Amino acid sequence: MKDQPSPIRETDDDARKLARVLLRSARHAAIAVLDSETGFPFASRVLVATDIDGTPVILVSKLSAHTRALAKDSRASLLTGEPGKGDPLAHPRLTTQCLAEPVERSHAFYDRIRTRFLARHPKANLYVDFPDFLFFRLKPELGSLNGGFGRAYQLEGNDLIIQSAANEEIAACAAETVRDLVERHPDVAQTLAIRLNAPKSASWRICGIDPSGFDLISGDFLLRYEFECLAEEADHICSNISKTAYSIP
Amino acid sequence: MKDQPSPIRETDDDARKLARVLLRSARHAAIAVLDSETGFPFASRVLVATDIDGTPVILVSKLSAHTRALAKDSRASLLTGEPGKGDPLAHPRLTTQCLAEPVERSHAFYDRIRTRFLARHPKANLYVDFPDFLFFRLKPELGSLNGGFGRAYQLEGNDLIIQSAANEEIAACAAETVRDLVERHPDVAQTLAIRLNAPKSASWRICGIDPSGFDLISGDFLLRYEFECLAEEADHICSNISKTAYSIP
């Protein structure tokens, strides 16, 4: 008997880009964890955002089964990528295997993570400060991309992380950067949405920037745009965004 | 310090019915399994149908990570219930912890499962008979229903299984039962869709019946209706469906 041929294709930059977009454009995900009492694999739904380095972030209740599970065993995976119209398996999706790290209120990253999460999920303002809610950073270890029938790729955790010395500096001035950009170009988010063929909606806004790209949001729609090259400073992000919106080099 | 109050509500018939509808109306699900090499929890997407007793059924490639995982450890959970509009966490969803049993082509249930699966997923006709595709029945052991913020319930596996001596007999004559009903009432599926406030679509059809209810399908929409009481024979199903469509007692 012959061995089955490997169904895994060689990972290329297109696969890496697709995987990053699937992870960074998810408003929610299915999370798989190990049940804290039985070790059973347990799938549930969580809201997702990203930290400045692209690491996925979740905000969960300490009373929930997935939080109890992560407190006992930090291994988790996230399934992102929506099925859309037609055959659910024809649409690309990504499984990201992660190690979960709680981000307590005293943590150096806490304010940054809270700010970025709320920019994407403003309704979470209602409960983010409740004492029984907690953030986790889910550090990617491995990715399994299924780009549709017969298009499977394996990724390394580092393929999904933004490796940039500028991360912290950009995070520190992100709100100001976006505010200045919108002051100069009040139509920038709407123009980006049209240029990127986003669904028609009146209220697009930029809800996150990082060295690798930006996130646009309008109601239930979230759109991720990845730059050709990592930005090295906030000005570089602004010029990348302007170029995308107005083709200004 | 006081203990946290339990966030789990007492399970009532409304919760059981909601859970059954969430499981039986899913075209696809996130499945959580244990990675066959590392034991890591792994989430991926699968197409779902149900067997005649409501047990969820999946059709998977033997080359996929979830199939290799289930071959080694039969424990799995399914997340069903779509997020819909607005806050993804405001929509009800169900985690069903299951034990997976492969259904080989020689299995007594194989033809029944194949027929029911293809009635729901006609495009799977393209690959269902490929030698590397395999059905699993996922026998429910436990259910965790999240009916929206603060509305959590625990269910037993048996709450999600249709306990009826008539299952096999009804399965054997299901195709004929539906054909006869549609001959007598050519507009029955369309009328049901209107009565049940289904999305507008021209091509609704009944794609499954069982002692507990029926499934209506049209393109990407799948609608599950649960009867008030279990039907004891095929005629009883017909009269339940007619009553639902035309209010004929």
Side-chain angles (χ1 to χ4, degrees):
Chain A
M1 270 189 31
K2 282 199 298 184
D3 280 349
Q4 294 272 14
S6 168
I8 307 294
R9 297 191 183 192
E10 194 174 343
T11 304
D12 56 19
D13 282 347
D14 285 347
R16 287 187 193 93
K17 182 174 176 182
L18 176 57
R20 289 168 185 151
V21 169
L22 288 170
L23 186 57
R24 295 170 190 168
S25 65
R27 292 169 64 231
H28 58 86
I31 187 170
V33 295
L34 302 175
D35 183 280
S36 60
E37 288 175 27
T38 63
F40 226 94
F42 189 91
S44 52
R45 183 165 294 135
V46 287
L47 296 186
V48 186
T50 59
D51 196 357
I52 189 70
D53 64 351
T55 297
V57 166
I58 60 174
L59 173 63
V60 289
S61 162
K62 290 180 185 169
L63 301 174
S64 68
H66 41 243
T67 308
R68 291 196 306 273
L70 293 176
K72 182 150 179 204
D73 189 321
S74 67
R75 294 178 294 172
S77 73
L78 289 179
L79 173 64
T80 54
E82 288 304 290
K85 289 191 179 175
D87 188 336
L89 300 189
H91 296 268
R93 62 271 185 196
L94 176 73
T95 302
T96 309
Q97 295 183 40
C98 313
L99 294 178
E101 303 162 349
V103 181
E104 305 286 352
R105 282 167 174 72
S106 57
H107 196 292
F109 300 162
Y110 181 80
D111 285 342
R112 178 176 88 204
I113 282 173
R114 182 180 180 284
T115 300
R116 288 181 56 90
F117 193 92
L118 293 176
R120 183 179 287 199
H121 300 291
K123 282 187 187 164
N125 262 307
L126 290 171
Y127 52 84
V128 63
D129 296 324
F130 287 0
D132 59 330
F133 274 78
L134 179 65
F135 284 110
F136 282 94
R137 267 170 56 95
L138 299 179
K139 193 171 160 288
E141 296 281 307
L142 276 176
S144 303
L145 169 66
N146 189 325
F149 291 110
R151 297 185 55 224
Y153 302 87
Q154 293 290 355
L155 292 100
E156 296 175 17
N158 279 344
D159 289 330
L160 299 168
I161 294 174
I162 301 165
Q163 319 276 355
S164 168
N167 280 340
E168 303 237 355
E169 194 186 316
I170 284 171
C173 67
E176 199 186 330
T177 301
V178 173
R179 196 172 53 238
D180 288 354
L181 181 67
V182 172
E183 261 178 31
R184 273 182 288 136
H185 302 288
D187 66 340
V188 64
Q190 207 61 27
T191 306
L192 286 166
I194 293 166
R195 290 297 284 264
L196 301 175
N197 293 315
K200 277 187 186 166
S201 175
S203 54
W204 288 99
R205 68 183 167 84
I206 298 170
C207 69
I209 59 170
D210 56 62
S212 185
F214 61 87
D215 308 324
L216 277 185
I217 198 164
S218 174
D220 292 351
F221 302 117
L222 181 59
L223 195 146
R224 170 72 187 176
Y225 184 83
E226 290 280 318
F227 300 141
E228 294 295 316
C229 306
L230 284 189
E232 283 165 20
E233 51 185 46
D235 280 352
H236 194 174
I237 293 181
C238 278
S239 62
N240 278 352
I241 294 178
S242 298
K243 196 169 140 188
T244 309
Y246 309 107
S247 298
I248 303 167
Chain B
M1 271 191 25
K2 281 200 300 184
D3 280 347
Q4 293 272 15
S6 168
I8 307 293
R9 297 191 181 193
E10 193 173 343
T11 304
D12 55 20
D13 283 345
D14 284 347
R16 286 187 193 94
K17 183 174 174 181
L18 176 57
R20 289 169 185 150
V21 169
L22 289 170
L23 186 56
R24 295 170 191 168
S25 65
R27 290 169 65 231
H28 59 87
I31 188 169
V33 295
L34 302 176
D35 183 279
S36 60
E37 288 174 27
T38 62
F40 226 95
F42 190 91
S44 52
R45 183 165 294 134
V46 287
L47 295 186
V48 186
T50 60
D51 196 357
I52 189 70
D53 65 350
T55 297
V57 167
I58 60 173
L59 173 64
V60 289
S61 163
K62 289 180 186 170
L63 301 175
S64 68
H66 41 244
T67 309
R68 290 197 307 274
L70 293 176
K72 182 151 179 202
D73 190 320
S74 66
R75 293 178 295 172
S77 72
L78 288 179
L79 173 65
T80 54
E82 288 303 290
K85 290 190 178 176
D87 189 335
L89 300 188
H91 296 267
R93 62 271 185 197
L94 176 72
T95 302
T96 309
Q97 294 182 41
C98 312
L99 294 178
E101 303 162 349
V103 181
E104 304 286 352
R105 283 165 172 75
S106 58
H107 196 290
F109 301 161
Y110 181 80
D111 285 342
R112 178 175 90 204
I113 282 173
R114 183 180 181 281
T115 300
R116 288 179 59 89
F117 193 93
L118 292 177
R120 184 179 287 198
H121 300 291
K123 282 186 188 166
N125 263 306
L126 290 171
Y127 53 83
V128 63
D129 295 325
F130 286 0
D132 59 327
F133 274 78
L134 179 67
F135 284 109
F136 282 94
R137 269 170 56 94
L138 300 179
K139 193 170 161 288
E141 297 282 308
L142 277 176
S144 303
L145 170 66
N146 189 325
F149 291 111
R151 296 186 55 226
Y153 302 87
Q154 291 291 355
L155 293 100
E156 297 176 16
N158 279 343
D159 289 331
L160 299 168
I161 294 175
I162 301 166
Q163 317 277 354
S164 167
N167 279 340
E168 303 238 354
E169 195 185 315
I170 284 171
C173 67
E176 199 186 330
T177 302
V178 173
R179 196 171 53 237
D180 288 354
L181 181 67
V182 172
E183 261 178 30
R184 274 182 289 136
H185 302 289
D187 67 339
V188 64
Q190 208 59 27
T191 306
L192 286 166
I194 294 166
R195 291 296 285 265
L196 303 174
N197 293 317
K200 277 187 189 166
S201 175
S203 55
W204 287 98
R205 67 184 166 83
I206 298 170
C207 69
I209 59 170
D210 56 62
S212 185
F214 61 86
D215 308 323
L216 277 185
I217 199 165
S218 174
D220 292 352
F221 303 118
L222 182 60
L223 195 147
R224 171 72 186 177
Y225 184 83
E226 290 280 319
F227 300 140
E228 294 295 316
C229 306
L230 283 189
E232 284 165 20
E233 51 184 47
D235 280 354
H236 195 174
I237 293 180
C238 278
S239 62
N240 278 352
I241 294 177
S242 298
K243 196 170 142 187
T244 309
Y246 309 107
S247 300
I248 301 168

